Amino acid sequence: MKQMSSLSASALFVVVIVLAQSAPSVAKDRTMTGNIRSFECGDNCYLTIVDTKKAEQVGLCVAPECANWNERTSMPARYKGKRVTVTVGQGQQLNDAGEVMGEMMAFKKIKFLD
């Protein structure tokens, strides 16, 4: 087998670097614990959780547990203040016509702790 010239090897290395940098990053889902502060709907429905560091975290409410809330555009009052662990990932914001407008944090699963 022939050896690559140093110029060819360098060019290949640059191509690999460029491709790696331009590839979309796939962030792994993570979990977060906190208390539900609020739920609001517009074109999308958003859940606000206050995490263990007292920071507000706002994300799309796409978890199966949100399905009825999203349909009714309101969350039953009994869930406000509930302690939860949520699975967090990325979700797509849609406009009223159903067109993708961007991505943001999304709550994919909700586990009620109390």
Side-chain angles (χ1 to χ4, degrees), residues 81-99:
K82 290 286 186 182
R83 199 164 71 94
V84 294
T85 295
V86 292
T87 301
V88 180
Q90 286 293 108
Q92 294 183 330
Q93 285 182 295
L94 305 175
N95 65 15
D96 197 39
E99 300 165 323

Side-chain angles (χ1 to χ4, degrees), residues 35-64:
N35 294 78
I36 295 176
R37 167 141 311 148
S38 64
F39 177 82
E40 297 175 357
C41 292
D43 287 348
N44 300 272
C45 291
Y46 303 91
L47 185 65
T48 301
I49 295 187
V50 177
D51 67 19
T52 55
K53 296 177 183 175
K54 306 294 184 216
E56 282 193 357
Q57 305 292 332
V58 179
L60 295 166
C61 201
V62 298

Side-chain angles (χ1 to χ4, degrees), residues 91-111:
Q92 294 183 330
Q93 285 182 295
L94 305 175
N95 65 15
D96 197 39
E99 300 165 323
V100 176
M101 300 306 292
E103 288 192 352
M104 73 174 290
M105 182 169 68
F107 299 117
K108 295 179 160 189
K109 291 181 188 172
I110 301 172
K111 180 180 178 184

Side-chain angles (χ1 to χ4, degrees), residues 54-76:
K54 306 294 184 216
E56 282 193 357
Q57 305 292 332
V58 179
L60 295 166
C61 201
V62 298
E65 296 81 1
C66 299
N68 287 335
W69 306 350
N70 292 343
E71 188 176 308
R72 294 188 172 117
T73 66
S74 68
M75 175 185 73

